[in-house]
Amino acid sequence: MNKNVLSLIFTSSFISLSLVNSFAQTMIIDSTQVTTLRIDPNNAKGLKVSQVFEEITYIPLETTKESLFGNIDKLAVGKENFIIYDNDTQAILIFTKDGKYQAKIAVSNIVDEENKTPNTKSRFKKFDLIENVDSPSIIRVKSSKYSYEYDLKGKEVRRISLIDKNFNDRFELGNGIHAKVNYYIKSGAESNYYELALLKEKEVIGKYFPFAKDWEQDGAVYTINHSSLYPKVDSAAAFFVRPGDYSVYGLTNTGLSKNFKFVFPARNSIPRDFYSNPIFKGKRIEYFDTNRDKIYSVGYTYQVGNGLFFKLATRGGLNGNDSFLYNLKTMDLFSINHLQPDNTSSYLPLTDEGIGTEFANNNFHTFDGKYLYTHFSSLTMFRFKELVKGKKIEYSPVIKKYFKSGDKKGNPVILQLLPKIF
Amino acid sequence: MTFICRLTGFGQQNTASNTGSIKGIVIDTAHNYALRSATVTIYKASTGTMLSYQITNNLGEFLFKNLPSEQPLKVSISHMGYKTLNKTFTIPTANQSIDLGELKIATGNIELDEVKISVPPITMNGDTLEFNPAAFKLDSNAVVEDLLRKIPNITVWGDGTISVNGRDVKRLLVNGKEFFTGDAKIATQNLPKNIIEKIQVYKKQGDSRNPLDSLIEMNLKTKKGNENGYFGKIGAGYGTEKHYELDGNVNFFSPHSQLSLVGAKNNVNKIAKDISTLIANSSFKGIGTNIEYMPDFRTGGLTSNTSGGISYKYDFLLKADENKNKQINADYFVQNKNYSNLYQTKSVLALPGLQQISENNSNNTESISLSHKHGATYNWLRRNKSLKLSQWLTNTRDETTNIIERNSENSKGEINSYNNTRNQNETHSNVYRFEMEYRKRPDFASHDFLKEFIVSYSFDYGQKKEIVGNLTTYKSLIDATQNKNFDRHYDNKSNSLNQRISLLLPNFKNTIFNVDRPKGINFDLSNVTTIYTDRDENDVKDRMASGLYTSNNYLTNNSRYTTIDEVPGLNIKNSYVKKLANRFYKSLDISIGLKGQFFVQKNNSLKAFQNIDRRYSAFIPTAAISYNDRQYGEYEKSYVLDYSSNQTIPNIQQLTPLIDSTNLYYVRQGNLKLKPSFTQNISFLFSSNSLETKNALKYSLGATIGFTDNNLTDSIEVDKQNIRNIYTVNAGRNKFMSANGNLTKVFKLKGSEIQLRLYTYLYKSKTPNYFNGFLNLSDYLTTTNTIDANLTIKDRFAINVKSGYNTTRSVQNGFNNISFASSTFANSISASYRLGKRLSINSNINANTNISRGFQNIDYTIWNASTTYRFLKGNNGEVKFSALDLLRENVNVINRSFGNTLIFGSQTVLQQYFMLSFSYYPRMFGKKTSK
């Protein structure tokens, strides 16, 4: 069973895409400049790692009794640090950019209210890393009552009472404007949920895609269990993606615009009226379970120059070929899963199909405007080593040391990848 | 998925001294990438014989070692959606390694001719591993099991279990469905290899709450047009001593339906208890070696048996899975048995004051029974709910005649009384059972108030009519006034009804507070109510001196016995998990069950002394701690500590029976002072499973200790004439303990396989009882130790060696310290050898030694042998000659002890015979007969 599938279990979303007969006025989405991408996953080509990435740095995270953790469930990349949330140890861990352990914040007592819904596993995963030019960076964790703020040494510096019940992803867009997903608005006669809201301080200045909170029996839809917002090169802009919507939206502090429209072969596409036609009512989950090649979500969208990275989510995992790079200029499609290892990756594979499940589960965690980040467990790294046994490979001193003194039970290794500009 | 990935790199490798190696990388030129999971097969270019195969690794690479040098070889590369690529090469000299470099494979469909030339033996299709039977050259009459034995990494165990890389296949399906009874052997030993398109092996998620609980399933996908067919066996044999055997079964299958017709008649103690056993014992089998199933010579008595049945299964859905299923099963089975046995024993009872009483018993039983059984089940399943409805109807008619001659002798061997009985019994009974179970499982999309529950109801109605004639003569040589003669006639009728309703609300906290899988304490609520009523009408008559039967006013009775058993329970549980991704997963589960039992017992009888109305209540708690430690890629260990308690309530026969004195050697008396007994058990189980894929080791150790307070035991009053009055009494504390160990390991060697199993069991108890008012404590110790090894060499020779050593020791502490000790050595060797394609020889030797202290050793060896010849084109014909108990040594000794009683003797058993039998296996798969 592909673990990719397992990780893409129903997320936090109590999202229903059932049409809401709402009187709420949603903002108009700019659809004047949409690029249509015709994507046939079966026709993605392979490349050598060095044709896609300028450089790849392997950063083994220091393993000590104190720093030992399970998995990187969320990765935030700061100026100097990696901030990691690990669900196994229920901790936020802070490492330096060269993998040295700094500090740890125990968050097991902080309840993740957003995920505390009747039917999903209550799993804390959210924290925000807030970095300002003029003040020290802070890590912000929210419970239903408080917003806890920690410094990069792991010390609690502030605790603020919260009135706002919207705990969800917050994305800073500059000019004091930020975006929030799955936002609840109650004002006057209005009481509605929106997939996305734009806020200036506490004032809602834009709201998009209303949905019913009281989801119907089969209202749950599969979503990519990661995020709806993906950072762009310009740190004050993001891509916004939605479950079941084959479009990628661009978000800035002035509003939402449709950037890309994906068109897939019929064998991978859901019917156009999938979420509105009553014949699918009560049968949507079953539909994806049966039609394992049907795409239910586009995500992990990162753009570097003319290169657009993305992942297509299906129940079947598209035979381990679900992560792509699209050249917007030449309209060529490349498979990330099939990149041929070369000197740039020390001849180690870039994805772990058939060996581990990290790439299938995490893809590229994030993009810091310059680098993409992913990770492998030490178990996978040592399996890679076994795989290339007998080849004359000149590892970088860091990996050499890691393979020599580390073992398969050590902490994961972060990969920092610098994409080529197409 | 790793269990599948580890299949990469294995192969059937050659180990000649002139060997070399090759490597290469498979490139998809159209897409410009290395192709992983492609199948690379090496053939001898001259003959086309397959030498080895592999699946390319994550980098698209392959490496074969130990390939023959100095001869042309062919490498064939294939993958779904690609054209097969063939390349011939030669390893020029020994120990050389050649690099084939980049092998470019083109996309496209496999051409039909290519399929004929070289089919890849193994294919990765997503997460499913597929074996392609066409790639394995086997005799045209081979069945699926023969093929499975050919595939490295697959083990077919002696008991039919299949494991892939050390992990057991939990279910074997044919075209996605259970095949007949679900017994894997029915599919693997009957379906020809040639009708199978592919064998698919995949992981199926088990309980979604336990991420480590995934099951391996195997599906046999038939070639198009072979979804329908039939198979079976019709056989007849006749032998010396007028022994005969007839059996037949035909099984039809189609995508929706499965139908079995079975019939059997024999007088060689082959008693099939149901349809599945009959089908399982007459599979076609293929060309491999199988240890033959032999009649059980140790079965007591001689039975001639006629049985037949029909079983039908209908699947409403063509594609059923764990989220959707709808199925109906119905069967009918009729069995007629004629049984005869002469059972002769001597039992020695040690009594206070160095006395002992021996009882010589000769029991000659003849019985005829006819039973009809019907069963039907309806199964309905959806994503989060399921319904099961079942019913059974059993009708039995039994006529038994027992002629029992007994006498008792004192320590000096002097006979002091005789007790002879002729008992004629005719019983008719009807039992109807209905069962309903509805389950609701939690579903993320459900908004219902009760998200999870199991409710079940069952109803048993029984009707029994018994007519008994009893002629008894008791003669005392000590006291003639005790002499008695009975000629008693019983006409008993009973009607019983048992109803049970049970409700279980697991994880009740989630249901009530609408929280899902929260950390911390959770609760299961349960309640089981059982209401039982039994109406008895007993009409007993005695023949008087006048020759007329007169009603026995004491034993003639009408009664109504009712019990209500109410068991509410609250289970408090907590679970702690410690895990580090890709390193370990440890879990600790603790639960405490607070259970109460409220029991009402009521008897209304025409006899006032039998009218009781009692109420019992007890706190019967349970507790469990389990710890599981899984280290990725290394091992999985689990530890379980369990406590349970229960009370046993004395029944009406123990409390206040109507005393029938026809059997003076055993007169059951009542005791109204009886209290329920209370038993507490503590058990521990440790098991370890290696997660290595090669030569995996599994072992387990377990132990149980238990105490019964107010133990319900017998107080026996015996007089010199062996008249025994038995009272049930509450006597102190009974203690017992048991321990067991189990180890299995399989060794895969070149072309052969050894399966090893060790088993040891120990049971010790201290039981109080009374003899003539004296308290006696019986210490009892028994051990069972078995080594079982199976060796198969290629598909020609199979041998099973089994060695067992069992001991029993019983020591009395009380009025004397008499002890009994006995042991049994049982060694057996079974072997099967195949000569050519059609002839096979089977032999099995079972050597036994019984040692009892103070008695002469009893040795006997049972040697059976048979030879089988298959004929006709499809091996459909079979002639078999069997020689059973060649040494004529089967004596079937009875030798056992309990408490302060030792029993030894013998009974009628099957003895030497020879039999010649012919069988025909009708088989048709798809449109034409399989060849």
Side-chain angles (χ1 to χ4, degrees):
Chain A
M1 192 75 54
N2 193 326
K3 285 209 182 153
N4 177 16
V5 173
L6 299 178
S7 78
L8 297 170
I9 44 170
F10 324 94
T11 66
S12 58
S13 351
F14 26 78
I15 295 172
S16 156
L17 295 188
S18 59
L19 291 181
V20 175
N21 185 13
S22 165
F23 47 83
Q25 292 295 302
T26 53
M27 304 283 285
I28 291 161
I29 299 163
D30 177 11
S31 300
T32 52
Q33 291 197 326
V34 186
T35 309
T36 300
L37 276 55
R38 290 189 183 276
I39 303 293
D40 180 356
N42 278 358
N43 281 330
K45 302 277 190 292
L47 286 175
K48 286 198 154 91
V49 169
S50 59
Q51 290 174 290
V52 178
F53 297 105
E54 207 72 60
E55 77 179 52
I56 298 175
T57 313
Y58 288 82
I59 308 159
L61 298 174
E62 189 187 8
T63 307
T64 62
K65 206 178 163 197
E66 177 76 8
S67 73
L68 185 72
F69 71 97
N71 189 38
I72 300 177
D73 291 304
K74 176 172 176 168
L75 175 71
V77 181
K79 281 176 285 194
E80 309 284 335
N81 299 88
F82 293 124
I83 322 293
I84 288 159
Y85 171 65
D86 168 36
N87 189 49
D88 290 344
T89 53
Q90 295 270 309
I92 292 168
L93 296 107
I94 304 152
F95 289 87
T96 63
K97 282 240 173 126
D98 54 5
K100 214 163 163 36
Y101 172 69
Q102 291 285 100
K104 167 158 96 170
I105 305 164
V107 290
S108 52
N109 296 327
I110 302 172
V111 181
D112 179 13
E113 293 295 333
E114 179 213 342
N115 283 331
K116 203 178 145 188
T117 61
N119 299 290
T120 57
K121 199 168 169 177
S122 174
R123 191 163 108 169
F124 176 89
K125 200 171 176 178
K126 300 288 195 293
F127 66 86
D128 291 316
L129 173 67
I130 296 151
E131 294 196 308
N132 296 313
V133 187
D134 44 359
S135 59
S137 302
I138 52 162
I139 297 163
R140 185 183 287 160
V141 182
K142 285 174 188 169
S143 78
S144 55
K145 289 182 183 157
Y146 302 104
S147 167
Y148 301 83
E149 292 184 356
Y150 302 88
D151 64 14
L152 292 178
K153 299 256 182 282
K155 290 260 164 348
E156 188 180 327
V157 289
R158 213 148 68 107
R159 187 181 293 198
I160 311 158
S161 284
L162 278 182
I163 305 154
D164 185 0
K165 296 287 177 197
N166 289 293
F167 315 103
N168 312 322
D169 271 7
R170 175 191 171 109
F171 196 97
E172 300 294 339
L173 293 163
N175 284 342
I177 297 172
H178 67 270
K180 284 206 161 198
V181 296
N182 298 343
Y183 196 82
Y184 176 59
I185 296 175
K186 183 163 174 57
S187 94
E190 176 169 19
S191 168
N192 260 317
Y193 280 83
Y194 292 86
E195 287 183 47
L196 182 72
L198 274 184
L199 296 108
K200 183 160 192 158
E201 296 292 320
K202 280 179 183 152
E203 182 200 349
V204 178
I205 57 168
K207 50 192 180 183
Y208 304 91
F209 309 115
F211 65 93
K213 167 91 178 178
D214 56 333
W215 51 321
E216 53 182 300
Q217 193 73 6
D218 70 324
V221 289
Y222 288 99
T223 69
I224 284 197
N225 186 22
H226 184 235
S227 178
S228 305
L229 294 166
Y230 293 92
K232 284 184 159 184
V233 173
D234 171 5
S235 62
F239 283 124
F240 176 68
V241 294
R242 307 173 57 227
D245 185 346
Y246 295 160
S247 299
V248 174
Y249 301 86
L251 176 67
T252 63
N253 58 28
T254 57
L256 199 63
S257 57
K258 197 187 257 192
N259 287 178
F260 303 111
K261 184 175 164 236
F262 283 76
V263 180
F264 302 114
R267 66 173 179 278
N268 300 114
S269 307
I270 53 170
R272 274 167 194 275
D273 58 353
F274 186 67
Y275 286 103
S276 55
N277 194 328
I279 64 158
F280 291 106
K281 191 175 165 165
K283 295 190 175 122
R284 292 185 182 115
I285 295 159
E286 194 184 313
Y287 177 87
F288 284 120
D289 285 353
T290 320
N291 299 283
R292 298 174 68 82
D293 283 340
K294 298 284 186 187
I295 295 161
Y296 56 79
S297 206
V298 179
Y300 295 92
T301 44
Y302 302 107
Q303 189 179 355
V304 182
N306 282 308
L308 180 71
F309 291 89
F310 62 90
K311 175 181 169 160
L312 302 177
T314 58
R315 289 281 280 132
L318 297 171
N319 269 329
N321 185 31
D322 60 1
S323 182
F324 306 94
L325 169 64
Y326 185 80
N327 187 328
L328 294 163
K329 199 161 69 185
T330 62
M331 296 193 284
D332 287 323
L333 181 70
F334 302 105
S335 166
I336 296 297
N337 310 80
H338 281 293
L339 291 184
Q340 182 81 8
D342 61 10
N343 197 34
T344 305
S345 68
S346 294
Y347 293 92
L348 299 175
L350 202 75
T351 61
D352 56 354
E353 273 79 27
I355 290 177
T357 50
E358 279 91 10
F359 194 77
N361 286 339
N362 305 299
N363 204 271
F364 296 112
H365 282 283
T366 189
F367 177 55
D368 65 0
K370 188 178 179 192
Y371 297 103
L372 286 167
Y373 294 87
T374 187
H375 85 271
F376 291 120
S377 70
S378 281
L379 186 67
T380 300
M381 284 299 285
F382 278 85
R383 281 184 180 157
F384 282 168
K385 187 193 171 198
E386 200 60 27
L387 193 67
V388 297
K389 198 170 75 180
K391 287 185 182 156
K392 286 184 189 119
I393 299 168
E394 196 48 51
Y395 292 118
S396 69
V398 176
I399 310 181
K400 211 185 238 169
K401 189 179 159 216
Y402 166 77
F403 278 145
K404 210 177 152 194
S405 57
D407 65 34
K408 63 180 185 186
K409 295 206 167 184
N411 270 342
V413 174
I414 287 180
L415 272 70
Q416 184 188 52
L417 309 104
L418 178 65
K420 283 204 152 172
I421 310 285
F422 285 96
Chain B
M1 208 169 105
T2 39
F3 97 99
I4 280 171
C5 301
R6 301 235 179 99
L7 283 170
T8 58
F10 76 69
Q12 300 168 324
Q13 307 213 330
N14 197 310
T15 46
S17 54
N18 293 330
T19 60
S21 61
I22 60 150
K23 63 175 183 174
I25 175 166
V26 182
I27 302 289
D28 166 356
T29 43
H31 292 99
N32 184 39
Y33 50 65
L35 197 63
R36 53 176 167 253
S37 305
T39 311
V40 185
T41 319
I42 308 287
Y43 299 91
K44 232 178 226 182
S46 53
T47 58
T49 313
M50 183 170 70
L51 295 175
S52 188
Y53 54 86
Q54 273 181 22
I55 282 179
T56 55
N57 68 14
N58 183 285
L59 302 172
E61 299 165 339
F62 61 87
L63 166 69
F64 288 91
K65 288 178 180 166
N66 299 323
L67 290 179
S69 58
E70 297 161 41
Q71 56 170 293
L73 302 175
K74 186 180 86 174
V75 58
S76 176
I77 298 160
S78 55
H79 196 45
M80 270 245 285
Y82 292 86
K83 288 188 165 143
T84 305
L85 173 75
N86 292 303
K87 197 181 167 96
T88 318
F89 66 96
T90 305
I91 301 170
T93 51
N95 299 322
Q96 215 174 347
S97 171
I98 61 169
D99 187 352
L100 296 175
E102 290 191 355
L103 294 162
K104 292 172 178 148
I105 184 166
T107 51
N109 290 321
I110 298 171
E111 314 262 322
L112 257 174
D113 320 349
E114 284 183 63
V115 176
K116 284 184 191 152
I117 302 161
S118 54
V119 183
I122 186 171
T123 313
M124 281 300 292
N125 187 1
D127 287 341
T128 303
L129 183 69
E130 296 179 344
F131 296 100
N132 307 314
F136 296 87
K137 290 212 165 54
L138 281 169
D139 186 273
S140 60
N141 290 316
V143 291
V144 173
E145 192 179 84
D146 300 314
L147 170 66
L148 296 179
R149 288 187 201 276
K150 277 249 168 196
I151 303 173
N153 296 67
I154 292 187
T155 304
V156 181
W157 292 82
D159 62 359
T161 312
I162 301 163
S163 59
V164 181
N165 270 323
R167 303 211 35 199
D168 290 351
V169 170
K170 294 291 177 205
R171 272 204 325 162
L172 185 129
L173 307 172
V174 176
N175 292 328
K177 284 200 191 70
E178 209 164 69
F179 198 57
F180 290 92
T181 58
D183 181 347
K185 279 192 282 186
I186 295 176
T188 61
Q189 297 185 345
N190 281 307
L191 294 179
K193 168 230 171 201
N194 292 344
I195 67 154
I196 305 297
E197 191 191 333
K198 50 194 166 192
I199 297 171
Q200 299 167 314
V201 179
Y202 48 90
K203 250 181 169 182
K204 191 124 226 172
Q205 193 70 30
D207 183 356
S208 61
R209 279 156 191 250
N210 183 355
L212 301 175
D213 178 25
S214 60
L215 312 169
I216 309 256
E217 261 186 25
M218 186 180 270
N219 181 40
L220 306 177
K221 189 168 185 293
T222 60
K223 287 178 187 163
K224 220 172 177 181
N226 284 287
E227 300 87 354
N228 299 290
Y230 64 79
F231 60 88
K233 180 187 179 186
I234 294 161
Y238 192 75
T240 54
E241 313 287 327
K242 292 190 178 167
H243 284 312
Y244 66 88
E245 209 180 322
L246 294 166
D247 65 317
N249 74 77
V250 196
N251 309 282
F252 301 88
F253 64 94
S254 74
H256 277 292
S257 308
Q258 297 179 10
L259 172 72
S260 296
L261 300 168
V262 301
K265 186 172 172 67
N266 68 68
N267 59 0
V268 289
N269 283 3
K270 283 189 177 171
I271 311 154
K273 62 178 195 302
D274 52 26
I275 294 173
S276 355
T277 322
L278 277 174
I279 302 173
N281 287 342
S282 55
S283 58
F284 177 73
K285 299 192 184 73
I287 47 149
T289 48
N290 277 290
I291 302 287
E292 273 285 314
Y293 170 74
M294 297 283 180
D296 184 2
F297 271 76
R298 306 232 53 200
T299 310
L302 295 176
T303 307
S304 64
N305 164 57
T306 310
S307 50
I310 178 167
S311 170
Y312 181 70
K313 180 153 83 176
Y314 185 80
D315 280 286
F316 290 88
L317 307 173
L318 269 181
K319 234 184 125 188
D321 56 30
E322 66 273 29
N323 288 326
K324 210 174 185 183
N325 203 353
K326 197 171 162 189
Q327 200 184 55
I328 195 157
N329 293 304
D331 52 57
Y332 168 71
F333 188 66
V334 57
Q335 187 164 50
N336 185 37
K337 280 192 285 192
N338 285 351
Y339 170 81
S340 69
N341 193 6
L342 177 63
Y343 183 92
Q344 285 172 310
T345 55
K346 184 182 184 99
S347 63
V348 183
L349 173 71
L351 287 171
L354 287 175
Q355 288 185 57
Q356 66 179 38
I357 282 189
S358 302
E359 187 180 303
N360 296 306
N361 183 345
S362 160
N363 187 340
N364 198 341
T365 309
E366 299 281 337
S367 80
I368 303 172
S369 72
L370 176 67
S371 69
H372 301 266
K373 284 181 200 163
H374 155 74
T377 307
Y378 172 77
N379 269 314
W380 176 88
L381 182 135
R382 284 292 177 274
R383 176 180 272 276
N384 65 337
K385 45 196 164 209
S386 63
L387 174 70
K388 190 176 176 178
L389 299 172
S390 320
Q391 67 167 7
W392 292 268
L393 183 63
T394 311
N395 169 282
T396 314
R397 188 194 167 108
D398 187 275
E399 282 173 43
T400 305
T401 309
N402 269 314
I403 299 170
I404 306 166
E405 288 172 6
R406 291 181 293 179
N407 61 55
S408 78
E409 50 185 54
N410 60 19
S411 314
K412 294 175 196 156
E414 297 160 350
I415 292 175
N416 45 36
S417 69
Y418 291 96
N419 189 355
N420 296 334
T421 302
R422 186 195 156 88
N423 207 44
Q424 205 148 9
N425 191 321
E426 198 185 319
T427 313
H428 297 252
S429 69
N430 287 306
V431 178
Y432 176 76
R433 180 173 171 81
F434 170 79
E435 221 176 74
M436 186 283 293
E437 185 193 80
Y438 183 78
R439 263 170 200 266
K440 186 136 190 268
R441 290 175 290 176
D443 185 351
F444 58 88
S446 150
H447 247 357
D448 303 344
F449 171 64
L450 280 178
K451 278 200 257 320
E452 193 177 3
F453 65 87
I454 303 166
V455 59
S456 67
Y457 172 73
S458 70
F459 167 99
D460 293 85
Y461 177 70
Q463 216 179 35
K464 196 171 166 188
K465 204 176 162 205
E466 195 181 32
I467 295 168
V468 183
N470 183 304
L471 280 172
T472 296
T473 309
Y474 178 81
K475 193 178 169 191
S476 170
L477 301 180
I478 297 169
D479 177 5
T481 60
Q482 294 275 7
N483 291 355
K484 284 188 178 87
N485 286 309
F486 297 100
D487 180 350
R488 193 162 278 178
H489 183 271
Y490 302 77
D491 187 350
N492 297 339
K493 288 184 196 116
S494 82
N495 284 292
S496 67
L497 179 65
N498 192 44
Q499 294 183 82
R500 183 179 181 275
I501 183 156
S502 119
L503 175 69
L504 175 67
L505 297 173
N507 304 309
F508 192 61
K509 187 166 140 189
N510 298 4
T511 297
I512 289 296
F513 301 105
N514 220 11
V515 241
D516 190 61
R517 296 178 217 161
K519 285 198 171 146
I521 292 173
N522 215 322
F523 308 95
D524 303 328
L525 271 179
S526 64
N527 190 64
V528 182
T529 310
T530 314
I531 303 170
Y532 174 78
T533 52
D534 182 16
R535 246 178 230 274
D536 284 355
E537 282 173 40
N538 300 337
D539 184 9
V540 184
K541 290 190 179 90
D542 284 319
R543 190 173 177 161
M544 310 311 279
S546 61
L548 293 171
Y549 281 99
T550 313
S551 186
N552 180 321
N553 291 332
Y554 174 74
L555 290 171
T556 298
N557 191 26
N558 276 345
S559 67
R560 185 191 160 118
Y561 181 67
T562 308
T563 61
I564 300 168
D565 185 10
E566 167 74 20
V567 183
L570 170 68
N571 192 38
I572 305 167
K573 58 188 186 181
N574 206 344
S575 184
Y576 305 89
V577 173
K578 199 171 175 190
K579 57 177 178 162
L580 270 195
N582 294 303
R583 265 66 65 82
F584 61 80
Y585 185 97
K586 298 176 188 176
S587 62
L588 176 70
D589 287 275
I590 299 173
S591 74
I592 294 169
L594 308 174
K595 260 206 258 179
Q597 185 179 26
F598 304 94
F599 196 90
V600 178
Q601 185 181 44
K602 211 170 176 175
N603 195 49
N604 291 317
S605 166
L606 292 176
K607 315 289 170 198
F609 67 90
Q610 276 201 313
N611 286 336
I612 56 164
D613 186 351
R614 296 185 161 211
R615 279 164 174 73
Y616 307 88
S617 64
F619 177 52
I620 44 169
T622 59
I625 301 177
S626 70
Y627 177 68
N628 194 286
D629 176 12
R630 184 182 173 115
Q631 298 285 336
Y632 284 72
E634 292 174 7
Y635 61 82
E636 182 169 14
K637 288 181 178 168
S638 84
Y639 308 77
V640 181
L641 185 66
D642 196 76
Y643 167 83
S644 67
S645 61
N646 65 282
Q647 68 170 347
T648 306
I649 286 144
N651 61 36
I652 192 80
Q653 292 308 318
Q654 291 168 321
L655 288 165
T656 171
L658 287 179
I659 299 153
D660 188 340
S661 45
T662 46
N663 183 0
L664 284 171
Y665 283 0
Y666 192 92
V667 183
R668 172 65 67 187
Q669 303 281 354
N671 178 2
L672 276 166
K673 290 181 185 155
L674 283 180
K675 286 181 280 191
S677 69
F678 188 73
T679 305
Q680 300 176 78
N681 282 307
I682 298 170
S683 63
F684 174 74
L685 180 69
F686 165 71
S687 66
S688 169
N689 243 330
S690 163
L691 298 175
E692 313 272 338
T693 51
K694 220 182 163 195
N695 296 347
L697 170 75
K698 277 187 211 175
Y699 63 94
S700 68
L701 293 167
T704 302
I705 28 174
F707 312 91
T708 302
D709 288 308
N710 281 330
N711 188 36
L712 292 170
T713 192
D714 287 344
S715 171
I716 303 172
E717 301 284 342
V718 196
D719 72 5
K720 284 180 184 167
Q721 307 153 77
N722 198 25
I723 295 177
R724 303 186 191 190
N725 282 295
I726 294 122
Y727 300 84
T728 307
V729 292
N730 291 111
R733 179 174 258 202
N734 171 30
K735 297 176 195 162
F736 57 92
M737 69 87 71
S738 69
N740 67 74
N742 213 329
L743 184 148
T744 53
K745 192 166 171 77
V746 59
F747 299 94
K748 286 257 180 188
L749 309 164
K750 273 174 196 79
S752 63
E753 185 181 278
I754 298 171
Q755 300 171 355
L756 186 71
R757 184 163 181 250
L758 303 178
Y759 177 75
T760 180
Y761 175 79
L762 175 151
Y763 178 83
K764 194 176 179 333
S765 67
K766 205 179 197 68
T767 313
N769 42 37
Y770 287 92
F771 285 91
N772 291 349
F774 287 89
L775 173 68
N776 177 54
L777 286 171
S778 292
D779 275 339
Y780 182 73
L781 173 70
T782 175
T783 67
T784 304
N785 309 283
T786 310
I787 298 179
D788 188 345
N790 263 297
L791 167 72
T792 44
I793 299 173
K794 304 257 163 135
D795 44 18
R796 292 214 159 264
F797 184 67
I799 186 163
N800 172 274
V801 180
K802 208 171 180 174
S803 186
Y805 177 61
N806 305 330
T807 66
T808 306
R809 194 166 155 265
S810 136
V811 179
Q812 312 311 314
N813 300 294
F815 45 83
N816 62 18
N817 289 330
I818 190 165
S819 73
F820 301 117
S822 65
S823 54
T824 313
F825 284 100
N827 296 302
S828 73
I829 296 184
S830 310
S832 175
Y833 183 68
R834 186 163 61 83
L835 290 142
K837 285 182 177 173
R838 296 183 181 269
L839 185 67
S840 65
I841 299 168
N842 268 282
S843 175
N844 101 2
I845 299 171
N846 208 314
N848 296 277
T849 303
N850 267 306
I851 304 162
S852 287
R853 206 161 62 201
F855 295 92
Q856 206 178 351
N857 289 0
I858 302 162
D859 296 310
Y860 63 96
T861 302
I862 299 171
W863 181 20
N864 302 326
S866 71
T867 174
T868 308
Y869 182 73
R870 286 282 176 101
F871 59 98
L872 299 180
K873 203 171 173 189
N875 273 357
N876 301 65
E878 182 188 87
V879 56
K880 182 176 171 181
F881 178 72
S882 323
L884 298 124
D885 190 16
L886 271 167
L887 304 173
R888 206 180 247 285
E889 281 196 12
N890 192 24
V891 286
N892 212 6
V893 176
I894 296 163
N895 186 351
R896 61 171 194 269
S897 66
F898 60 87
N900 52 348
T901 305
L902 178 71
I903 299 174
F904 52 96
S906 68
Q907 63 179 323
T908 312
V909 288
L910 210 54
Q911 275 187 324
Q912 188 182 77
Y913 70 94
F914 300 90
M915 187 175 271
L916 183 66
S917 47
F918 292 91
S919 300
Y920 180 75
Y921 292 86
R923 291 153 67 69
M924 205 271 284
F925 301 95
K927 291 194 175 69
K928 56 182 189 307
T929 312
S930 121
K931 289 180 181 171

